Amino acid sequence: MPKTRRQFLAGAAATGAWVGIGAPRASLFARDDRKGGEGKRLLILGGTAFLGPEVVAAAKARGYAITLFNRGKTNPQLFPELEKLHGDRNGDLKSLEGRTWDVVIDTSGYVPRHVRDSATLLKDARQYVFISTLSVLADNSRPGMDESAPVGKLEDETVEKVTGETYGPLKALCEQAAEGAMPGRVTNVRPGLIVGPGDPTDRFTYWPVRVARGGEVLAPGTPADPVQFVDVRDLAEWTMRMVDGGHVGVYHATGPEKELGMGGVLEACKRVSGSDATFAWADADFLEAQKVSAWSDMPIWIPPRGDSVGFARVSSAKAIAEGLVFRPVAETAKDTLAWWRTLPEERRGKLKAGIAPGREAEVLKAWRERKPAK
């Protein structure tokens, strides 16, 4: 089984140490003197897919004047009331030229060149928020990794193709590109798995949907195996809180605040759906022998052993100290299930993550028929 965070988190999809990566930085504001619309011109690079709309909602609630920059291809019908500028991160930033914004939030940067180009062009902004990822971490073997942990590196930093192997190191280089263009004014936010209503990957969604179906559910590992994720709404709200306060630096942004086991997730799904589900907890060795893959067939779960013992035990203490809070997993599961049920039948016909029903039945049969260990 592959073990690196970037292989798992980027499956659907840096040269030099990061100086002072874990050190706290002062707010850009000694105090907040902004009144009315002053200082509240916000540019979002992206803005129409999953996290973007939630950031828009949180920013609108705070009175920001919002501009979206994207290619106009993903959910173009959203936000007709907002200013929209079209272009391409890959060489077409013309619509941004000659304009200034107070804050830039980059939700769509995956290649260092693209981030460098945009941050350089927009360097008059007070703050540049880059949505990075915990996949930048080079090592998953140690629980409690904070922002000082080493990041992954590429042998060839000219590579721009995003794969499971390059995703994390490229994001690390994106962080550095932003900081290089706007030193001292960058907020690098590192979420892990982002979940909740609107998730296009179905990685968390699989569980409330499957548990709601009821019956015997194939469950991975043990109920105590740790998992980490952040509700998209909590991440967006906190991101805007960081903008309001002008907080810069690097922040791990995943939850919950206290360790959560896989059993807690499944029991929450059962509770909010009212199903009759029961859980067959199959150990990691059995699942591997059955070619049931962690993270893809069994979403959000990685066996906590070997090189992955720290995978779902990353520290977000720094972000929590700056106000990151997490809604109960039951609320996320309930809202995700309600959102799922509003989707067209064709979309609901096949989940994009999780083991297929027929295959699950085969594995459950093998689990029941296994020979007890001597």
Side-chain angles (χ1 to χ4, degrees):
M1 253 187 262
K3 294 182 174 65
T4 67
R5 174 176 297 275
R6 57 183 173 270
Q7 286 173 318
F8 289 120
L9 293 188
T15 297
W18 183 245
V19 179
I21 198 168
R25 297 194 186 176
S27 165
L28 292 174
F29 308 114
R31 58 192 178 90
D32 194 349
D33 290 331
R34 291 169 293 168
K35 298 178 181 179
E38 295 178 10
K40 289 199 168 188
R41 297 167 300 165
L42 171 64
L43 172 66
I44 301 177
L45 303 178
T48 57
F50 196 28
L51 176 60
E54 296 297 341
V55 172
V56 169
K60 288 178 68 175
R62 288 165 163 79
Y64 280 82
I66 304 166
T67 301
L68 305 182
F69 172 84
N70 51 54
R71 295 179 299 171
K73 295 182 177 181
T74 300
N75 299 321
Q77 77 283 359
L78 293 180
F79 311 123
E81 75 282 9
L82 299 184
E83 179 184 30
K84 299 179 183 180
L85 303 177
H86 292 160
D88 195 311
R89 300 292 297 266
N90 190 22
D92 181 11
L93 302 177
K94 291 184 180 63
S95 62
L96 299 177
E97 293 176 358
R99 297 285 303 273
T100 59
W101 288 268
D102 299 299
V103 177
V104 179
I105 299 180
D106 186 346
T107 68
S108 60
Y110 298 91
V111 175
R113 175 172 57 88
H114 298 169
V115 174
R116 185 178 301 108
D117 289 350
S118 60
T120 300
L121 179 63
L122 300 164
K123 62 183 179 181
D124 288 337
R126 175 180 70 239
Q127 183 178 7
Y128 192 101
V129 181
F130 177 66
I131 305 300
S132 185
T133 171
L134 285 175
S135 291
V136 301
L137 297 177
D139 178 19
N140 295 305
S141 65
R142 296 181 295 108
M145 289 179 294
D146 63 16
E147 292 81 0
S148 67
V151 298
K153 300 178 181 180
L154 292 173
E155 289 186 11
D156 180 2
E157 293 186 2
T158 67
V159 169
E160 293 190 347
K161 184 178 181 180
V162 180
T163 68
E165 287 295 332
T166 67
Y167 173 68
L170 282 173
K171 280 284 199 174
L173 288 172
C174 287
E175 292 182 0
Q176 297 172 33
E179 181 69 17
M182 295 178 60
R185 290 179 286 153
V186 176
T187 310
N188 280 310
V189 177
R190 295 175 177 173
L193 182 64
I194 305 174
V195 306
D199 178 14
T201 72
D202 294 346
R203 285 177 290 188
F204 177 88
T205 305
Y206 170 79
W207 291 113
V209 171
R210 172 61 190 92
V211 172
R213 251 189 4 247
E216 189 177 32
V217 176
L218 181 64
T222 75
D225 287 355
V227 293
Q228 284 187 311
F229 47 80
V230 60
D231 190 294
V232 64
R233 297 163 293 182
D234 295 334
L235 179 61
E237 177 66 24
W238 178 76
T239 297
M240 288 309 305
R241 180 175 297 191
M242 299 301 281
V243 169
D244 287 341
H247 297 290
V248 293
V250 182
Y251 294 87
H252 291 174
T254 193
E257 184 171 358
K258 296 180 180 179
E259 188 166 296
L260 173 67
M262 191 70 200
V265 174
L266 297 193
E267 288 297 337
C269 292
K270 179 176 179 178
R271 188 165 61 252
V272 301
S273 66
S275 82
D276 64 354
T278 60
F279 304 115
W281 292 96
D283 63 79
D285 290 336
F286 171 83
L287 293 176
E288 188 170 7
Q290 291 289 317
K291 294 183 171 51
V292 175
S293 299
W295 198 257
S296 54
D297 292 327
M298 295 282 101
I300 79 172
W301 171 81
I302 302 294
R305 60 187 186 182
D307 292 342
S308 295
V309 72
F311 181 84
R313 293 186 170 110
V314 175
S315 173
S316 292
K318 184 180 175 184
I320 291 169
E322 295 292 355
L324 177 59
V325 295
F326 310 97
R327 69 193 64 212
V329 63
E331 182 177 339
T332 298
K334 180 180 179 181
D335 293 349
T336 300
L337 185 60
W339 161 76
W340 175 260
R341 287 171 171 168
T342 68
L343 298 180
E345 184 176 352
E346 182 180 0
R347 169 70 175 89
R348 291 184 283 111
K350 186 177 181 180
L351 285 153
K352 297 178 182 178
I355 192 168
R359 178 64 181 140
E360 182 192 27
E362 294 173 358
V363 176
L364 285 169
K365 182 174 183 294
W367 176 248
R368 289 192 295 268
E369 294 174 352
R370 72 194 186 286
K371 294 181 179 180
K374 294 182 180 180

